[in-house]
Amino acid sequence: MSFFALLLVLTAACCHATWNYHLKKANCGRAIWWLVYILTSVITIPLLLLWDPQALTRITPTGWFVILISAPIHVVYALVLQIGYKKSDYSIVYPTARGAGPLITVLSAVVILGDAPSLTGWCGIFAILAGVVLLTLRTDKGADLSRVHTGIFWGLLTGVCIAGYSFCDAWAVQRDTGLTPASFYFPSIVVRAIVMTPFMLAMKDWREQVRSIWQNPVSRRALWVVTLGSPGGYILVLCAMTMAPLAYVAPTREVGMMVGVIVGAILLKEHLSLAKISGLVAMVAGVLLIAFAH
């Protein structure tokens, strides 16, 4: 990877860990994602058209198809991640998801896109797999095994969603679809809002959920952090995908795992065991090997 692409991905990883921390701290329901999608749409679409009035007209039918496929996967990802944070610890769900996601993504990129990693790249992939295994099979004495296993389950399910949208999004910006990172991502946010609206309105207490988010300072802060941090960080990832293969970009994002677990241990007072540290070291080592592979 080039230095600039690497810098973009590392910055995005820090953004990702930051908004995930605020999301976990707020402990909101699915309404927060609905509000994030609506606010992002209202803010970004006018800015996109002001910056490039022809942005949407240049999108090919294939480009619109990818947007319509990617957006629902992102919605499922957001809901699954939120459930995981409600049922288990941030420092279990976050690293499991961010370790499993790129592993599946890399294998998909190799098989479907032909992004064959070098020997160093493969070493990085196996190091990530070893880290996931360490997180899965080892736990603290006296820990709530049910809570750990629940966190791993939801983390792995989140990882499957990550792989799904990563592949779609890389296809969108790397192929001849007429899409740029901005003209792909921001219309996709609008589709997400549309997809999620019927499910929200079907909930009897959706007004109470929205009202509680606006009235609670912690939830309101999380809303704005996610609204700014999630699109901002992912746009950087999409830009990096135009400069480097998906097989390298996707795993390199997971440097944010170390930030996420440290945040969980220090700010959320979650226990950081030796097994967890070993797993994270293995995954981060794998990410670094992939980052510098040719």
Side-chain angles (χ1 to χ4, degrees), residues 271-292:
H271 181 61
L272 192 59
S273 67
L274 179 60
K276 194 174 295 182
I277 293 173
S278 300
L280 287 175
V281 168
M283 284 191 284
V284 172
V287 166
L288 293 177
L289 283 170
I290 290 173
F292 293 102

Side-chain angles (χ1 to χ4, degrees), residues 217-228:
V218 175
S219 300
R220 190 166 58 247
R221 185 184 304 113
L223 172 64
W224 286 110
V225 170
V226 177
T227 298
L228 297 175

Side-chain angles (χ1 to χ4, degrees), residues 224-293:
W224 286 110
V225 170
V226 177
T227 298
L228 297 175
S230 180
Y234 201 67
I235 283 290
L236 297 180
V237 172
L238 292 173
C239 290
M241 285 180 181
T242 65
M243 306 174 192
L246 174 62
Y248 289 156
V249 173
T252 308
R253 293 182 65 197
E254 309 321 317
V255 171
M257 290 186 303
M258 178 172 286
V259 179
V261 173
I262 292 174
V263 165
I266 296 176
L267 299 182
L268 298 178
K269 309 301 181 185
E270 296 176 355
H271 181 61
L272 192 59
S273 67
L274 179 60
K276 194 174 295 182
I277 293 173
S278 300
L280 287 175
V281 168
M283 284 191 284
V284 172
V287 166
L288 293 177
L289 283 170
I290 290 173
F292 293 102

